[in-house]
Amino acid sequence: TPGDEFGPIPSPTRPDRLYFTSSRPGNLGGPRDPAGRPDEQYGRHFTDIYYASITQGVWKDVQSMHYFLNSPRHEVILGFAQHGRSMYYFQGDALDRGQVLIDSFRQGGQVLSTNPFLGPIDQSAGIAPPFFQQGKVVIFASKQPGGYGGFDLYRTERIQGRWTAPQNLGPEINTAYDENYPFLARDGRTLYFSSNDKKKSIGGFD
């Protein structure tokens, strides 16, 4: 659309379905200013979560997630866990200010079973969207003290129901500049990310 579409994530249970985030006309809440107030003249739509289906090689049937999940605030899909039974997503008044939630896709009456993510990630500290691997490993960017400078990439793992303390991925990856937007391949060993390190980047984030 003329708006923003980003963060596509394939469904772990349906090979014909793709989830993504979009800021487009029709999103709940309508156009809003940066403070979240309705602004029909100059405002932009906050983000909602959508999904699309593919049939015979053609993507179609784009639909917004249910209104129990999407709201007038920002919602951004982050990943899935438990073989697709739970979905991690961000919700906040700004894309760098909010919290990570878990949607179990279970509805009872008018109540959605949504709970906060209890791992060691403080989304309000300006952390970029984290990468979730099946609810067992999270890789995220943070400016927390003790790093190499700017945003560094960290890793936390869920062991026996608890998340470990975040571990910096070290100087082979992190620099005095910003490392951001991590993505771990299915082999669990190949990490993709962006950096504005002047020794590696042609300019800005590469």
Short mmCIF file of all heavy atoms in Angstrom, two decimals, residues 48-96:
data_model
loop_
_atom_site.label_atom_id
_atom_site.label_comp_id
_atom_site.label_asym_id
_atom_site.label_seq_id
_atom_site.Cartn_x
_atom_site.Cartn_y
_atom_site.Cartn_z
N ASP A 48 -0.66 -1.85 12.59
CA ASP A 48 -1.48 -3.00 12.97
C ASP A 48 -0.86 -4.25 12.36
O ASP A 48 -0.02 -4.18 11.44
CB ASP A 48 -2.92 -2.85 12.46
CG ASP A 48 -3.77 -1.95 13.34
OD1 ASP A 48 -3.30 -1.55 14.43
OD2 ASP A 48 -4.91 -1.64 12.94
N ILE A 49 -1.30 -5.42 12.83
CA ILE A 49 -0.79 -6.70 12.33
C ILE A 49 -1.80 -7.29 11.35
O ILE A 49 -3.01 -7.31 11.60
CB ILE A 49 -0.54 -7.67 13.50
CG1 ILE A 49 0.47 -7.07 14.46
CG2 ILE A 49 -0.04 -9.03 12.97
CD1 ILE A 49 0.67 -7.88 15.73
N TYR A 50 -1.28 -7.79 10.22
CA TYR A 50 -2.09 -8.36 9.16
C TYR A 50 -1.58 -9.75 8.81
O TYR A 50 -0.47 -10.15 9.19
CB TYR A 50 -2.02 -7.49 7.90
CG TYR A 50 -2.78 -6.20 7.99
CD1 TYR A 50 -2.25 -5.10 8.66
CD2 TYR A 50 -4.03 -6.06 7.38
CE1 TYR A 50 -2.94 -3.90 8.73
CE2 TYR A 50 -4.73 -4.85 7.45
CZ TYR A 50 -4.18 -3.79 8.12
OH TYR A 50 -4.87 -2.62 8.20
N TYR A 51 -2.40 -10.48 8.05
CA TYR A 51 -1.92 -11.72 7.45
C TYR A 51 -2.50 -11.85 6.04
O TYR A 51 -3.53 -11.26 5.71
CB TYR A 51 -2.28 -12.94 8.30
CG TYR A 51 -3.74 -13.25 8.43
CD1 TYR A 51 -4.41 -14.07 7.51
CD2 TYR A 51 -4.48 -12.74 9.50
CE1 TYR A 51 -5.75 -14.36 7.65
CE2 TYR A 51 -5.83 -13.03 9.65
CZ TYR A 51 -6.46 -13.84 8.72
OH TYR A 51 -7.79 -14.12 8.85
N ALA A 52 -1.78 -12.59 5.21
CA ALA A 52 -2.20 -12.81 3.83
C ALA A 52 -2.04 -14.28 3.49
O ALA A 52 -1.22 -14.98 4.09
CB ALA A 52 -1.37 -11.95 2.87
N SER A 53 -2.81 -14.77 2.52
CA SER A 53 -2.74 -16.15 2.07
C SER A 53 -2.32 -16.20 0.62
O SER A 53 -2.61 -15.29 -0.17
CB SER A 53 -4.11 -16.84 2.24
OG SER A 53 -4.52 -16.82 3.59
N ILE A 54 -1.60 -17.27 0.25
CA ILE A 54 -1.15 -17.44 -1.11
C ILE A 54 -1.89 -18.62 -1.74
O ILE A 54 -2.01 -19.69 -1.14
CB ILE A 54 0.39 -17.66 -1.18
CG1 ILE A 54 0.88 -17.62 -2.62
CG2 ILE A 54 0.80 -18.93 -0.47
CD1 ILE A 54 2.38 -17.57 -2.75
N THR A 55 -2.41 -18.38 -2.94
CA THR A 55 -3.13 -19.41 -3.68
C THR A 55 -2.62 -19.44 -5.11
O THR A 55 -2.66 -18.42 -5.81
CB THR A 55 -4.65 -19.13 -3.68
OG1 THR A 55 -5.12 -19.05 -2.32
CG2 THR A 55 -5.40 -20.23 -4.40
N GLN A 56 -2.08 -20.57 -5.52
CA GLN A 56 -1.52 -20.74 -6.86
C GLN A 56 -0.51 -19.64 -7.18
O GLN A 56 -0.50 -19.07 -8.27
CB GLN A 56 -2.65 -20.77 -7.91
CG GLN A 56 -3.58 -21.96 -7.73
CD GLN A 56 -4.69 -22.00 -8.77
OE1 GLN A 56 -4.95 -21.02 -9.45
NE2 GLN A 56 -5.34 -23.15 -8.88
N GLY A 57 0.32 -19.35 -6.20
CA GLY A 57 1.41 -18.40 -6.41
C GLY A 57 1.05 -16.94 -6.30
O GLY A 57 1.89 -16.08 -6.53
N VAL A 58 -0.20 -16.64 -5.92
CA VAL A 58 -0.65 -15.25 -5.84
C VAL A 58 -1.05 -14.93 -4.41
O VAL A 58 -1.88 -15.64 -3.81
CB VAL A 58 -1.85 -14.99 -6.78
CG1 VAL A 58 -2.31 -13.54 -6.66
CG2 VAL A 58 -1.46 -15.30 -8.22
N TRP A 59 -0.47 -13.87 -3.84
CA TRP A 59 -0.84 -13.43 -2.49
C TRP A 59 -2.14 -12.66 -2.55
O TRP A 59 -2.31 -11.77 -3.38
CB TRP A 59 0.25 -12.55 -1.89
CG TRP A 59 1.48 -13.32 -1.53
CD1 TRP A 59 2.65 -13.36 -2.20
CD2 TRP A 59 1.65 -14.17 -0.39
NE1 TRP A 59 3.54 -14.19 -1.57
CE2 TRP A 59 2.96 -14.69 -0.45
CE3 TRP A 59 0.82 -14.54 0.67
CZ2 TRP A 59 3.45 -15.57 0.50
CZ3 TRP A 59 1.31 -15.40 1.62
CH2 TRP A 59 2.61 -15.91 1.54
N LYS A 60 -3.07 -13.00 -1.67
CA LYS A 60 -4.37 -12.32 -1.65
C LYS A 60 -4.99 -12.47 -0.27
O LYS A 60 -4.36 -12.95 0.67
CB LYS A 60 -5.29 -12.90 -2.72
CG LYS A 60 -5.59 -14.38 -2.55
CD LYS A 60 -6.52 -14.88 -3.64
CE LYS A 60 -6.89 -16.35 -3.42
NZ LYS A 60 -7.82 -16.83 -4.46
N ASP A 61 -6.24 -12.04 -0.17
CA ASP A 61 -7.00 -12.18 1.08
C ASP A 61 -6.26 -11.57 2.26
O ASP A 61 -6.14 -12.18 3.33
CB ASP A 61 -7.33 -13.65 1.37
CG ASP A 61 -8.20 -14.28 0.29
OD1 ASP A 61 -9.00 -13.53 -0.31
OD2 ASP A 61 -8.08 -15.49 0.05
N VAL A 62 -5.73 -10.34 2.08
CA VAL A 62 -5.07 -9.65 3.18
C VAL A 62 -6.12 -9.26 4.23
O VAL A 62 -7.11 -8.61 3.90
CB VAL A 62 -4.32 -8.41 2.67
CG1 VAL A 62 -3.72 -7.64 3.84
CG2 VAL A 62 -3.23 -8.82 1.70
N GLN A 63 -5.89 -9.66 5.47
CA GLN A 63 -6.85 -9.38 6.53
C GLN A 63 -6.13 -8.89 7.77
O GLN A 63 -5.02 -9.33 8.07
CB GLN A 63 -7.65 -10.64 6.88
CG GLN A 63 -8.49 -11.18 5.73
CD GLN A 63 -9.36 -12.34 6.15
OE1 GLN A 63 -10.00 -12.29 7.20
NE2 GLN A 63 -9.40 -13.38 5.34
N SER A 64 -6.79 -7.98 8.47
CA SER A 64 -6.27 -7.49 9.74
C SER A 64 -6.52 -8.52 10.83
O SER A 64 -7.52 -9.23 10.81
CB SER A 64 -6.96 -6.16 10.10
OG SER A 64 -6.61 -5.75 11.40
N MET A 65 -5.58 -8.62 11.78
CA MET A 65 -5.82 -9.48 12.93
C MET A 65 -7.00 -8.95 13.72
O MET A 65 -7.38 -7.78 13.61
CB MET A 65 -4.57 -9.54 13.80
CG MET A 65 -3.39 -10.26 13.15
SD MET A 65 -3.67 -12.03 12.91
CE MET A 65 -3.50 -12.62 14.60
N HIS A 66 -7.59 -9.79 14.57
CA HIS A 66 -8.82 -9.44 15.27
C HIS A 66 -8.63 -8.21 16.17
O HIS A 66 -7.53 -7.90 16.61
CB HIS A 66 -9.33 -10.62 16.10
CG HIS A 66 -8.30 -11.24 17.00
ND1 HIS A 66 -7.87 -10.64 18.15
CD2 HIS A 66 -7.61 -12.39 16.89
CE1 HIS A 66 -6.97 -11.41 18.74
NE2 HIS A 66 -6.78 -12.47 18.00
N TYR A 67 -9.73 -7.53 16.43
CA TYR A 67 -9.67 -6.27 17.17
C TYR A 67 -9.34 -6.47 18.64
O TYR A 67 -9.05 -5.51 19.35
CB TYR A 67 -10.98 -5.49 17.03
CG TYR A 67 -12.20 -6.18 17.56
CD1 TYR A 67 -12.57 -6.06 18.89
CD2 TYR A 67 -12.99 -6.96 16.73
CE1 TYR A 67 -13.69 -6.70 19.38
CE2 TYR A 67 -14.12 -7.60 17.21
CZ TYR A 67 -14.46 -7.47 18.53
OH TYR A 67 -15.57 -8.11 19.02
N PHE A 68 -9.35 -7.72 19.14
CA PHE A 68 -8.86 -7.96 20.49
C PHE A 68 -7.34 -7.75 20.56
O PHE A 68 -6.79 -7.47 21.62
CB PHE A 68 -9.18 -9.38 20.95
CG PHE A 68 -10.63 -9.60 21.27
CD1 PHE A 68 -11.31 -10.68 20.74
CD2 PHE A 68 -11.32 -8.71 22.08
CE1 PHE A 68 -12.65 -10.88 21.04
CE2 PHE A 68 -12.66 -8.90 22.38
CZ PHE A 68 -13.33 -10.00 21.85
N LEU A 69 -6.65 -7.91 19.42
CA LEU A 69 -5.20 -7.76 19.39
C LEU A 69 -4.80 -6.38 18.88
O LEU A 69 -4.07 -5.65 19.54
CB LEU A 69 -4.59 -8.87 18.51
CG LEU A 69 -3.07 -8.99 18.50
CD1 LEU A 69 -2.68 -10.44 18.25
CD2 LEU A 69 -2.45 -8.13 17.43
N ASN A 70 -5.25 -6.01 17.68
CA ASN A 70 -4.97 -4.67 17.17
C ASN A 70 -5.75 -3.63 17.95
O ASN A 70 -6.86 -3.89 18.43
CB ASN A 70 -5.32 -4.58 15.68
CG ASN A 70 -4.30 -5.29 14.81
OD1 ASN A 70 -3.11 -5.32 15.12
ND2 ASN A 70 -4.76 -5.84 13.70
N SER A 71 -5.16 -2.43 18.06
CA SER A 71 -5.78 -1.35 18.84
C SER A 71 -5.38 -0.03 18.21
O SER A 71 -4.63 0.01 17.24
CB SER A 71 -5.30 -1.43 20.29
OG SER A 71 -3.96 -0.97 20.40
N PRO A 72 -5.83 1.10 18.75
CA PRO A 72 -5.35 2.40 18.26
C PRO A 72 -3.87 2.63 18.51
O PRO A 72 -3.30 3.58 17.97
CB PRO A 72 -6.22 3.40 19.03
CG PRO A 72 -7.46 2.65 19.37
CD PRO A 72 -6.98 1.26 19.65
N ARG A 73 -3.21 1.80 19.32
CA ARG A 73 -1.78 1.92 19.56
C ARG A 73 -1.01 1.18 18.46
O ARG A 73 -1.60 0.61 17.55
CB ARG A 73 -1.44 1.34 20.94
CG ARG A 73 -2.25 1.93 22.07
CD ARG A 73 -2.02 1.21 23.37
NE ARG A 73 -0.71 1.52 23.93
CZ ARG A 73 -0.19 0.88 24.97
NH1 ARG A 73 -0.84 -0.14 25.54
NH2 ARG A 73 0.99 1.23 25.45
N HIS A 74 0.32 1.20 18.55
CA HIS A 74 1.15 0.42 17.62
C HIS A 74 1.13 -1.05 18.01
O HIS A 74 1.31 -1.39 19.18
CB HIS A 74 2.59 0.92 17.66
CG HIS A 74 2.83 2.21 16.95
ND1 HIS A 74 2.83 2.32 15.58
CD2 HIS A 74 3.09 3.46 17.43
CE1 HIS A 74 3.08 3.58 15.24
NE2 HIS A 74 3.24 4.28 16.34
N GLU A 75 0.93 -1.93 17.04
CA GLU A 75 1.16 -3.36 17.21
C GLU A 75 2.13 -3.82 16.12
O GLU A 75 1.97 -3.46 14.95
CB GLU A 75 -0.14 -4.17 17.11
CG GLU A 75 -0.98 -4.16 18.37
CD GLU A 75 -1.83 -2.91 18.48
OE1 GLU A 75 -2.22 -2.36 17.42
OE2 GLU A 75 -2.09 -2.44 19.62
N VAL A 76 3.14 -4.60 16.50
CA VAL A 76 4.15 -5.11 15.58
C VAL A 76 4.37 -6.59 15.87
O VAL A 76 4.71 -6.95 17.01
CB VAL A 76 5.49 -4.36 15.72
CG1 VAL A 76 6.53 -4.93 14.76
CG2 VAL A 76 5.30 -2.86 15.48
N ILE A 77 4.20 -7.44 14.88
CA ILE A 77 4.44 -8.86 15.09
C ILE A 77 5.94 -9.12 15.18
O ILE A 77 6.74 -8.53 14.44
CB ILE A 77 3.80 -9.71 13.97
CG1 ILE A 77 3.94 -11.20 14.31
CG2 ILE A 77 4.36 -9.38 12.61
CD1 ILE A 77 3.11 -12.10 13.44
N LEU A 78 6.34 -10.00 16.12
CA LEU A 78 7.76 -10.28 16.36
C LEU A 78 8.14 -11.73 16.10
O LEU A 78 9.26 -12.01 15.69
CB LEU A 78 8.11 -9.93 17.81
CG LEU A 78 7.87 -8.49 18.24
CD1 LEU A 78 8.15 -8.33 19.73
CD2 LEU A 78 8.72 -7.52 17.43
N GLY A 79 7.25 -12.66 16.35
CA GLY A 79 7.60 -14.06 16.14
C GLY A 79 6.60 -15.00 16.79
O GLY A 79 5.62 -14.57 17.40
N PHE A 80 6.88 -16.32 16.65
CA PHE A 80 6.00 -17.34 17.18
C PHE A 80 6.76 -18.26 18.12
O PHE A 80 7.99 -18.35 18.08
CB PHE A 80 5.40 -18.18 16.03
CG PHE A 80 4.41 -17.43 15.20
CD1 PHE A 80 4.81 -16.79 14.04
CD2 PHE A 80 3.07 -17.36 15.56
CE1 PHE A 80 3.91 -16.10 13.25
CE2 PHE A 80 2.16 -16.67 14.79
CZ PHE A 80 2.58 -16.04 13.63
N ALA A 81 6.01 -18.96 18.96
CA ALA A 81 6.59 -19.94 19.89
C ALA A 81 5.66 -21.13 19.98
O ALA A 81 4.51 -21.08 19.53
CB ALA A 81 6.80 -19.32 21.27
N GLN A 82 6.18 -22.20 20.58
CA GLN A 82 5.39 -23.41 20.83
C GLN A 82 4.72 -23.90 19.55
O GLN A 82 3.53 -24.22 19.52
CB GLN A 82 4.35 -23.16 21.92
CG GLN A 82 4.96 -22.78 23.26
CD GLN A 82 3.91 -22.50 24.33
OE1 GLN A 82 2.77 -22.21 24.01
NE2 GLN A 82 4.31 -22.59 25.58
N HIS A 83 5.52 -23.95 18.47
CA HIS A 83 5.04 -24.46 17.18
C HIS A 83 3.79 -23.73 16.69
O HIS A 83 2.86 -24.34 16.15
CB HIS A 83 4.77 -25.97 17.29
CG HIS A 83 5.95 -26.77 17.76
ND1 HIS A 83 7.06 -26.98 16.95
CD2 HIS A 83 6.22 -27.37 18.94
CE1 HIS A 83 7.95 -27.70 17.62
NE2 HIS A 83 7.47 -27.95 18.81
N GLY A 84 3.77 -22.43 16.91
CA GLY A 84 2.69 -21.61 16.39
C GLY A 84 1.53 -21.39 17.33
O GLY A 84 0.58 -20.68 16.98
N ARG A 85 1.59 -21.97 18.53
CA ARG A 85 0.47 -21.80 19.45
C ARG A 85 0.49 -20.46 20.18
O ARG A 85 -0.51 -20.06 20.78
CB ARG A 85 0.45 -22.95 20.47
CG ARG A 85 0.11 -24.30 19.86
CD ARG A 85 -0.20 -25.32 20.93
NE ARG A 85 0.96 -25.62 21.74
CZ ARG A 85 1.85 -26.57 21.45
NH1 ARG A 85 1.72 -27.28 20.36
NH2 ARG A 85 2.88 -26.79 22.26
N SER A 86 1.62 -19.76 20.14
CA SER A 86 1.73 -18.45 20.78
C SER A 86 2.42 -17.49 19.83
O SER A 86 3.32 -17.88 19.08
CB SER A 86 2.52 -18.53 22.09
OG SER A 86 1.85 -19.35 23.03
N MET A 87 2.02 -16.23 19.86
CA MET A 87 2.60 -15.20 19.01
C MET A 87 3.14 -14.07 19.88
O MET A 87 2.43 -13.58 20.77
CB MET A 87 1.56 -14.65 18.03
CG MET A 87 2.12 -13.60 17.08
SD MET A 87 0.85 -12.91 16.00
CE MET A 87 -0.03 -11.86 17.16
N TYR A 88 4.38 -13.68 19.64
CA TYR A 88 4.97 -12.54 20.32
C TYR A 88 4.70 -11.28 19.48
O TYR A 88 4.88 -11.29 18.25
CB TYR A 88 6.47 -12.71 20.48
CG TYR A 88 6.86 -13.83 21.42
CD1 TYR A 88 7.21 -15.08 20.95
CD2 TYR A 88 6.90 -13.62 22.80
CE1 TYR A 88 7.57 -16.10 21.80
CE2 TYR A 88 7.26 -14.63 23.67
CZ TYR A 88 7.60 -15.88 23.16
OH TYR A 88 7.95 -16.89 24.02
N TYR A 89 4.30 -10.21 20.14
CA TYR A 89 4.12 -8.97 19.42
C TYR A 89 4.40 -7.79 20.36
O TYR A 89 4.36 -7.92 21.58
CB TYR A 89 2.72 -8.86 18.81
CG TYR A 89 1.58 -8.69 19.79
CD1 TYR A 89 1.00 -7.44 20.01
CD2 TYR A 89 1.05 -9.78 20.47
CE1 TYR A 89 -0.06 -7.29 20.89
CE2 TYR A 89 -0.01 -9.63 21.35
CZ TYR A 89 -0.56 -8.38 21.56
OH TYR A 89 -1.60 -8.22 22.44
N PHE A 90 4.71 -6.66 19.74
CA PHE A 90 4.97 -5.42 20.47
C PHE A 90 3.72 -4.56 20.44
O PHE A 90 3.02 -4.48 19.42
CB PHE A 90 6.14 -4.68 19.84
CG PHE A 90 6.30 -3.26 20.31
CD1 PHE A 90 6.95 -2.97 21.49
CD2 PHE A 90 5.79 -2.21 19.56
CE1 PHE A 90 7.09 -1.67 21.94
CE2 PHE A 90 5.93 -0.90 19.99
CZ PHE A 90 6.58 -0.63 21.18
N GLN A 91 3.46 -3.86 21.56
CA GLN A 91 2.36 -2.89 21.61
C GLN A 91 2.83 -1.67 22.37
O GLN A 91 3.44 -1.80 23.44
CB GLN A 91 1.14 -3.49 22.30
CG GLN A 91 -0.08 -2.55 22.27
CD GLN A 91 -1.28 -3.18 22.96
OE1 GLN A 91 -1.33 -3.27 24.17
NE2 GLN A 91 -2.24 -3.64 22.16
N GLY A 92 2.62 -0.48 21.81
CA GLY A 92 3.06 0.73 22.49
C GLY A 92 2.52 1.99 21.86
O GLY A 92 1.93 1.97 20.77
N ASP A 93 2.73 3.10 22.54
CA ASP A 93 2.31 4.40 22.04
C ASP A 93 3.28 4.94 20.99
O ASP A 93 2.97 5.88 20.27
CB ASP A 93 2.19 5.39 23.19
CG ASP A 93 1.11 4.97 24.18
OD1 ASP A 93 0.04 4.53 23.73
OD2 ASP A 93 1.33 5.08 25.40
N ALA A 94 4.50 4.38 20.94
CA ALA A 94 5.49 4.71 19.92
C ALA A 94 6.25 3.42 19.63
O ALA A 94 6.24 2.48 20.43
CB ALA A 94 6.45 5.81 20.41
N LEU A 95 6.93 3.37 18.48
CA LEU A 95 7.62 2.14 18.10
C LEU A 95 8.82 1.84 18.97
O LEU A 95 9.37 0.74 18.93
CB LEU A 95 8.04 2.21 16.63
CG LEU A 95 6.87 2.16 15.63
CD1 LEU A 95 7.38 2.39 14.22
CD2 LEU A 95 6.13 0.83 15.74
N ASP A 96 9.27 2.81 19.77
CA ASP A 96 10.38 2.56 20.70
C ASP A 96 9.95 2.71 22.15
O ASP A 96 10.76 2.87 23.04
CB ASP A 96 11.55 3.50 20.40
CG ASP A 96 11.19 4.97 20.57
OD1 ASP A 96 9.99 5.27 20.78
OD2 ASP A 96 12.09 5.82 20.49
#
